[in-house]
Structure formats: C-alpha cells, structure tokens
C-alpha cells in the first residue's frame, strides 16, 4: 500500500466492550516498523503493527498515557503467502490475556511472555467516535504499510473466532478464505476490499472509507490465488537493495547504485515438467542486467554469502542479458537483441526448454507457432532437468531496476489495459503480450494445472 491509506471516522458503538477485526495481508518489506491498523481520538490510540523485529504488536494507550502492549513470540517473514489475522477484544473477560485474542490462519496465538501481557489500560475500549486508518499509524504520518490487504471485516459489538471467516481444507490442510461470512456487523461494522480495491462498504451499513496518500490498486494476487513476486530473502548477499527499492507488492526491485552484482529470486518456483510464461519490464539496466531462471536445489551455492557474482555464473542458472547474449555457467553466447529501459522481456518455459522475447518478438528467430508446438530449434536453452524446480531470477549491477508480471496484470502502478490471458488453466491472469497456448502464469492456480 506504500503511502496509500484508508480512513473513516465512525460513530456510536453497538457495544463499546466488544469487537472483532478480520483481514488478509501479504507482506512486502521486512525488518521495518509498519502499521496495519491505527485508530485514534485525542491521545487515545489503538494500533496493530509489524515491528522492526517482524513480530506482530497490538498496542493500546488511553488519554492519561497508560499503555498496554502485547506482541507475538513468533515472527512473520514469509512474503510469498497471505496471512489471515483475526483480532477480538472483550473487556468483560476477567484477564488481559483473555481480553485480547489473536488467530493466525485459523490458529489461536499465545502472546509473547516477556512482560507482554499487561493490565489493560483501556477498560471498555472501543473504536467508537474515533478515526479508523488502514495502512498507517493512527495519529502520525509515518510507518506506512508496504504490502497488500484484502477482505477487511470490522464487527462492532460481537466477538467472533477465525472459523467465521475461514476454514481448513480437508484435503490439503490449507487455511482457506470464507468470502461471505455470516456475521452481524453492528452500527459501525464494515466490509471493504472484497475481491477488488473497492472501499465501498459491503456490510450493508454504508460505512465507506476514503483513500488518501496515493492510488489504491487492485491485483489478481489474492488469498485464493498467489502470484510470484521478487523475494527479498532469496538473494546472493545480505545487501543490494536500494532504499525504497522494493515496492508494488514486491513486483518492483531496484539494486544499489554501487559496484556490485546482486542476484534475486522469486517467491514461487515453476515445476520442471510444466509450461509457464511471465513478463518483465526493464525500468533501468544500470551497468548490467540479466533475467532468467535457476534450479532451486543450487541455491545453497548460488545465493549464499556472495558465492557467485550472478546467478548465471552457476551451471544451474540460465540468463538473457541486456547485451543480447545468453549465459549459463558463466559462458556467454550470441542470442538476441539488446534491451534497455522501458523494454519488455518475456520468458516461456516448456519441460526443460527456455525462450525469451523482447517487446513481443521472440528472439533468435523463434516464433510463437514453434513455441506452441514445442519446437526447440530456435530456443535459448534446452535440456534442463525436468525433475527439478526453478526460481525466476534477476541480477543487476549498479542501479538496475526491474518489474515482474507473473500474471497479476500490473507493471508497478500501470495496469495492462488490453490484457492477453492464458487459453486454459488460470485464465484470469493478465499479460501484455500473447501467451503461448497451454502456458500458465507462475501462480498457485497455474502450478496446479
């Protein structure tokens, strides 16, 4: 959400002693303090946030300055998945531990033990007559959320558990969303961000929100179907990202303006036996750039402590470089056209064979008819091990910037206006150029086709 924030001032509560808040969230940046929900009126504050230690905090402060802070003992560093969070408050419960309850993906949590549970400073607290914010702290203008949110429910006057908003799949064990829960919202209750970027209340209360600080965008990435993005934990050394160089739900990545080569991988990996298609927009090549794939099993040598300068120096990494060359295991060969800022690169993978395109034109004289037929004559690489899985990879040197579209339909803040869709499987995925027949986006739905 970057600096984008949602807000609404709400009125008299149905029951000032109870409420439930449920939402889905997908993180982007890690290791920095980020506010998810902030509510304030004068000096009274209610705040839910990720700390710089990646733990989840629930903070209250009353008008007299008395505060109560609860936090989790576990950390939340998975940026590939959506978390379902349910918070409930009931001041009629006897102990502070029972007053504030938290469920994550359907599982009740225990608050951290190191002086985290304090006597609640706000007996009978409620969100009535206060300003409600999502994506920023209550009274301030900092600590904005860098990530995605979906299906936000606030229930005024009733305590619910996670089972009202989701359920466990009996086959897969996956915690799945209930898109239309049966709940009583109360006077101030609302339901926003239902299957889109709409802040129009779907609860029937008309408690609509206002967007400020930026544009709220809608993505195909959702709790029911996750799309691949860049993984800031999947990199060759611990540094390498510019300040603000991870954005737009981790679809945008920028390397440092320094004399270093940095490699980054995706959150999801494609199957060696599948057919997959994805696109990239080059924002800036810097001094060097390459895009491609790498075998997941090779990451211990490829991306540990700077063991190699770039992923395609490894025998299990395959790249199309901005110079027009292809590279594998450090060996380069003539392949296609050079590319630069504002060019679009496509990548098609089919059972061990890779093709690349530039601005919709397949390189090395390949055609989409050949790719559809699986003809490998003009491909970039063949013979990859189909028993392995592969991450999407990018490496850049000195201020390189790249955007990924694995099917979610956006390049940074620009939505694809006339999208091309896969012909089968995850047909909702959106691409700029024609998708080869039978190819899937790199999404959880696409992986299961």
């Amino acid at each position: 959400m970057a600096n984008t924030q949602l807000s609404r001032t709400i009125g008299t509560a149905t029951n000032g002693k109870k409420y439930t808040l449920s939402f889905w969230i997908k993180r982007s940046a890690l290791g920095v303090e980020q506010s998810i929900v902030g509510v304030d009126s004068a000096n009274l504050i209610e705040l839910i946030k990720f700390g710089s230690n990646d733990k989840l905090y629930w903070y209250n402060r009353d008008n007299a300055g008395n505060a109560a802070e609860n936090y989790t003992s576990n950390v939340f560093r998975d940026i590939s998945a959506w978390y379902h969070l349910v918070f409930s408050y009931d001041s009629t419960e006897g102990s502070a531990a029972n007053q504030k309850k938290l469920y994550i993906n359907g599982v009740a949590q225990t608050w951290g033990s190191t002086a985290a549970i304090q006597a609640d400073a706000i007996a009978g607290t409620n969100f009535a007559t206060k300003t409600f914010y999502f994506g920023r702290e209550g009274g301030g203008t900092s600590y904005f959320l860098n990530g995605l949110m979906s299906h936000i429910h606030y229930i005024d006057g009733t305590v619910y558990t996670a089972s009202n908003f989701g359920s466990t799949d009996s086959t897969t064990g996956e915690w799945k969303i209930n898109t239309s829960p049966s709940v009583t919202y109360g006077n101030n209750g609302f339901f926003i961000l239902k299957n889109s970027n709409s802040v129009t209340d779907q609860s029937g209360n008309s408690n609509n929100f206002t967007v400020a600080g930026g544009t709220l965008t809608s993505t195909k990435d959702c709790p029911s179907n996750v799309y691949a993005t860049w993984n800031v934990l999947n990199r060759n050394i611990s540094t390498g990202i510019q300040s603000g160089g991870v954005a737009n739900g981790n679809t945008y990545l920028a390397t440092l303006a320094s004399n270093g080569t940095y490699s980054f991988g995706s959150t999801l990996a494609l199957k060696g036996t599948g057919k997959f298609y994805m696109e990239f927009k080059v924002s800036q090549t810097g001094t060097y750039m390459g895009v491609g794939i790498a075998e997941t099993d090779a990451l211990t040598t490829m991306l540990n402590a700077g063991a190699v300068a770039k992923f395609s120096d490894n025998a299990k990494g395959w790249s199309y470089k901005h110079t027009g060359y292809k590279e594998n295991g450090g060996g380069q060969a003539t392949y296609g056209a050079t590319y630069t800022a504002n060019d679009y690169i496509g990548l098609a993978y089919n059972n061990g064979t890779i093709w690349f395109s530039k601005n919709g034109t397949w390189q090395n004289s390949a055609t989409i008819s050949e790719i559809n037929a699986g003809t490998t004559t003009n491909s970039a690489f063949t013979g990859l091990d189909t028993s392995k899985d592969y991450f999407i990879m990018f490496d850049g040197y000195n201020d390189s910037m790249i955007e990924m579209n694995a099917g979610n339909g956006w390049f940074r803040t620009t939505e694809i206006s006339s999208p091309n869709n896969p012909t089968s499987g995850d047909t909702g995925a959106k691409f700029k150029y024609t998708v080869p027949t039978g190819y899937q986006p790199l999404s959880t739905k696409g992986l299961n086709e």
Side-chain angles (χ1 to χ4, degrees):
M1 295 174 70
N3 291 349
T4 305
Q5 58 194 264
L6 315 180
S7 65
R8 174 181 174 78
T9 300
I10 58 180
T12 304
T14 301
N15 179 340
K17 297 183 178 182
K18 299 179 180 181
Y19 65 80
T20 306
L21 179 64
S22 169
F23 56 86
W24 290 75
I25 187 168
K26 186 179 182 185
R27 301 199 68 186
S28 293
L30 300 175
V32 293
E33 186 173 337
Q34 299 178 68
S35 297
I36 305 169
V37 186
V39 183
D40 76 285
S41 176
N43 292 320
L44 193 152
I45 293 175
E46 187 105 4
L47 181 66
I48 297 169
K49 67 178 182 178
F50 289 114
S52 58
N53 57 5
D54 295 320
K55 294 183 178 182
L56 192 63
Y57 286 75
W58 191 350
Y59 174 84
N60 303 98
R61 191 184 73 200
D62 67 8
N63 288 320
N66 301 309
E69 183 177 83
N70 303 158
Y71 58 86
T72 59
S73 56
N74 49 326
V75 298
F76 301 87
R77 307 193 75 223
D78 186 351
I79 58 174
S80 66
W82 286 82
Y83 294 105
H84 180 220
L85 306 182
V86 177
F87 297 82
S88 69
Y89 181 83
D90 185 354
S91 65
T92 66
E93 290 280 358
S95 67
N98 287 328
Q99 288 173 356
K100 294 181 177 182
K101 294 180 180 177
L102 167 64
Y103 302 84
I104 300 176
N105 295 340
V107 179
Q109 303 295 301
T110 301
W111 294 110
S113 58
T114 55
I117 302 296
Q118 305 175 38
D120 198 321
I122 312 174
T125 187
N126 63 80
F127 289 161
T129 65
K130 303 175 183 68
T131 303
F132 220 130
Y133 297 94
F134 287 98
R136 58 163 273 190
E137 63 177 342
T141 56
S142 58
Y143 305 116
F144 292 99
L145 175 66
N146 190 344
L148 308 177
M149 293 187 73
S150 180
H151 284 74
I152 301 174
H153 299 267
Y154 173 62
I155 289 86
D156 166 21
T158 307
V159 170
Y160 291 101
T161 65
S163 60
N164 293 97
F165 307 97
S167 60
T168 302
D169 188 286
S170 59
T171 301
T172 65
E174 173 191 11
W175 182 252
K176 298 175 66 174
I177 189 171
N178 178 359
T179 57
S180 299
S182 179
V183 295
T184 301
Y185 284 94
N187 295 339
N188 292 316
F190 53 81
F191 179 13
I192 58 174
L193 303 188
K194 180 183 181 181
N195 300 327
S196 70
N197 61 334
S198 175
V199 293
T200 300
D201 180 20
Q202 303 297 309
S203 74
N205 285 341
S206 298
N207 289 329
N208 304 329
F209 274 66
T210 299
V211 181
T215 301
L216 191 65
T217 57
S218 177
T219 174
K220 299 295 293 183
D221 197 322
C222 66
S224 299
N225 191 18
V226 177
Y227 285 82
T229 60
W230 296 117
N231 185 350
V232 295
L233 299 176
N234 191 357
R235 51 182 172 169
N236 63 335
I237 56 177
S238 59
T239 60
I241 303 175
Q242 288 187 22
S243 176
V246 180
N248 306 103
N250 274 359
T251 60
Y252 168 77
L253 190 60
T255 68
L256 288 173
S258 63
N259 294 326
T261 302
Y262 307 101
S263 290
F264 298 88
S266 57
T267 51
L268 302 181
L270 57 87
K271 297 183 296 186
T273 54
K275 296 181 179 181
F276 297 93
Y277 174 78
M278 60 224 59
E279 296 172 339
F280 311 88
K281 182 180 179 182
V282 179
S283 298
Q284 186 168 294
T285 59
T287 305
Y288 170 87
M289 177 180 285
V291 294
I293 69 174
E295 186 180 302
T296 58
D297 289 352
L299 288 182
T300 52
T301 56
M302 190 183 306
L303 297 181
N304 262 353
V308 294
K310 55 185 182 295
F311 74 91
S312 53
D313 279 345
N314 190 281
K316 303 297 183 179
W318 298 264
S319 175
Y320 173 28
K321 303 174 64 176
H322 85 282
T323 56
Y325 285 82
K326 63 181 181 179
E327 184 174 59
N328 166 240
Q332 300 184 30
T334 302
Y335 173 62
T338 61
Y339 58 84
T340 188
N342 298 316
D343 283 332
Y344 294 86
I345 305 301
L347 186 159
Y349 172 91
N350 179 1
N351 287 277
T353 299
I354 310 173
W355 298 263
F356 294 99
S357 68
K358 173 188 172 182
N359 298 331
T361 299
W362 293 98
Q363 299 300 286
N364 197 37
S365 300
T367 66
I368 196 165
S369 296
E370 293 175 356
I371 297 170
N372 289 340
T375 304
T376 64
T377 304
N378 297 315
S379 63
F381 301 102
T382 60
L384 278 68
D385 188 346
T386 57
S387 70
K388 303 296 184 179
D389 298 324
Y390 296 90
F391 284 121
I392 305 304
M393 300 295 298
F394 152 67
D395 59 65
Y397 178 89
N398 193 16
D399 209 15
S400 298
M401 305 177 187
I402 194 164
E403 305 162 37
M404 178 196 295
N405 174 31
N408 52 22
W410 290 80
F411 291 101
R412 296 207 73 179
T413 59
T414 302
E415 186 175 15
I416 298 172
S417 58
S418 300
N420 291 280
N421 309 102
T423 56
S424 61
D426 188 359
T427 56
K430 299 188 294 185
F431 292 100
K432 183 175 179 64
Y433 296 103
T434 301
V435 182
T437 302
Y439 283 64
Q440 294 297 308
L442 189 48
S443 65
T444 49
K445 186 175 180 179
L447 286 166
N448 287 305
E449 288 297 322

